[in-house]
Amino acid sequence: AAEAAEAAEAAEAAEAAAARAARAGAADAAVAAASRGSGSGEEPAGGEERPSRSGGAKSLPGATLTSGAPPDAGAWSLEGLADLYTGLSGALLKEGPPSAVYLGVYEAAKAALLATPAISPYPLVAYLLAGAAGETVGSVIRAPAEAIKSRLQSGADSTTADSVRSVLGTAAGRANVMRAWSSSLWRDVPFGAIQLAIFEGLKTYIINSPDIVVDVDTLLAEALFGATGGAIGAFLTTPTDVVTIRILTQGTGVDEACDEQACTLPVGFVGMAKEVYAQSGAMGFLQGARARTLYWAPAIGIFLSCYCSIRQAAVTSSLFG
């Protein structure tokens, strides 16, 4: 009887050991299969759950483990890229002709002012006044062009032709352009004066400083001077830019300015400034200051450096006699 009991216990122990060995072998095989599958991108057959490398954790029901990002992650299209250039025709109209007028008037006014005995000892004043004069004349073209561009980029109109009709084709649109133009003078005139005064002032200062050895007529130097002037001018005129943009994008027609309860009449510079202050306080006038500064710094750097290079090439080749 004792021998039979011992034989039975030995048989049970052998079966338990065999079962443990089988389970261990199955777990090792599963881990090895999971390792191979994760390296090749294969999934376990039959929809089985994949064990983790630690052998204990299981995946959530219905979850699958994949290597890499989803197919559409970070995807982009030409259509999305093209959206960044919405309103390009309006922007070219806004910047091209007005900028030509701005620089032409600036050069003529600067020459006249520097030849004036009362102002010639103060070149910085001459640069400021000439820049302001150029921007004042250029703004006559820029105001309607900016209204067209702003309506396109804000989505108020779908095409340039629609924006032109909205801005210039109606009495309300023309009245809004006049309000925007009067307010933009507070932004564009000081901006145009400051950027050119700093640009010319930096060049003059370096030329008159024998300890500073820098060729101020290189493309890089002029780009840096222009970027400095553009950044400072853009930041200082952010408050008036906020008011001007709000005026430009306010409703100009009955459908845009009215709802079922009441009509909102378009307002001018002072009225819009009061609205900005009532809605956002003093800090509301600095909305977008960083974006405006970062936009105009390189833009003015490129603009003035290219202008000076073209002007120098024209003078060198005696293009204008």
Side-chain angles (χ1 to χ4, degrees):
E3 291 177 357
E6 289 177 359
E9 290 177 0
E12 290 177 1
E15 290 177 0
R20 286 196 299 271
R23 287 196 297 271
D28 291 341
V31 171
S35 177
R36 289 192 301 271
S38 64
S40 62
E42 298 174 354
E43 294 294 332
E48 297 176 354
E49 295 176 349
R50 172 181 290 170
S52 68
R53 291 183 182 272
S54 62
K58 294 183 178 181
S59 61
L60 295 176
T64 56
L65 301 178
T66 59
S67 60
D72 59 345
W76 62 275
S77 65
L78 291 178
E79 182 180 355
L81 183 63
D83 288 342
L84 297 175
Y85 293 89
T86 300
L88 177 61
S89 58
L92 293 175
L93 178 65
K94 169 185 175 290
E95 297 299 338
S99 295
V101 173
Y102 163 56
L103 291 173
V105 173
Y106 167 74
E107 291 290 353
K110 179 180 71 171
L113 290 170
L114 291 176
T116 303
I119 298 180
S120 58
Y122 312 100
L124 191 61
V125 175
Y127 303 146
L128 283 168
L129 293 176
E135 190 57 56
T136 301
V137 178
S139 67
V140 175
I141 304 174
R142 181 175 285 110
E146 182 171 9
I148 293 169
K149 177 188 75 73
S150 296
R151 291 184 64 83
L152 274 173
Q153 292 183 331
S154 66
D157 297 313
S158 57
T159 66
T160 302
D162 290 340
S163 290
V164 171
R165 283 192 292 268
S166 299
V167 171
L168 300 177
T170 64
R174 291 190 294 271
N176 195 48
V177 169
M178 288 302 298
R179 281 188 295 269
W181 175 72
S182 62
S183 66
S184 69
L185 291 176
W186 294 94
R187 174 197 66 185
D188 295 341
V189 170
F191 183 34
I194 291 170
Q195 67 185 22
L196 279 175
I198 292 177
F199 176 78
E200 299 275 22
L202 287 172
K203 293 183 70 173
T204 302
Y205 174 78
I206 292 175
I207 290 172
N208 295 328
S209 300
D211 296 334
I212 303 178
V213 183
V214 174
D215 185 357
V216 298
D217 293 323
T218 63
L219 189 66
L220 177 59
E222 289 175 336
L224 292 175
F225 299 152
T228 302
I232 295 174
F235 179 79
L236 293 178
T237 55
T238 296
T240 49
D241 179 62
V242 171
V243 176
T244 299
I245 294 299
R246 292 280 293 271
I247 291 174
L248 286 170
T249 55
Q250 67 182 327
T252 58
V254 174
D255 293 338
E256 296 172 335
C258 298
D259 54 28
E260 295 180 356
Q261 285 74 32
C263 289
T264 302
L265 296 177
V267 298
F269 184 83
V270 175
M272 187 60 74
K274 289 180 179 179
E275 285 190 14
V276 172
Y277 184 78
Q279 294 174 4
S280 307
M283 292 305 296
F285 292 102
L286 292 178
Q287 291 177 351
R290 181 171 62 178
R292 175 174 166 81
T293 301
L294 292 176
Y295 169 79
W296 281 112
I300 298 302
I302 295 170
F303 170 58
L304 290 179
S305 60
C306 289
Y307 164 67
C308 290
S309 297
I310 295 172
R311 180 184 61 181
Q312 184 61 34
V315 171
T316 302
S317 61
S318 301
L319 184 62
F320 301 108

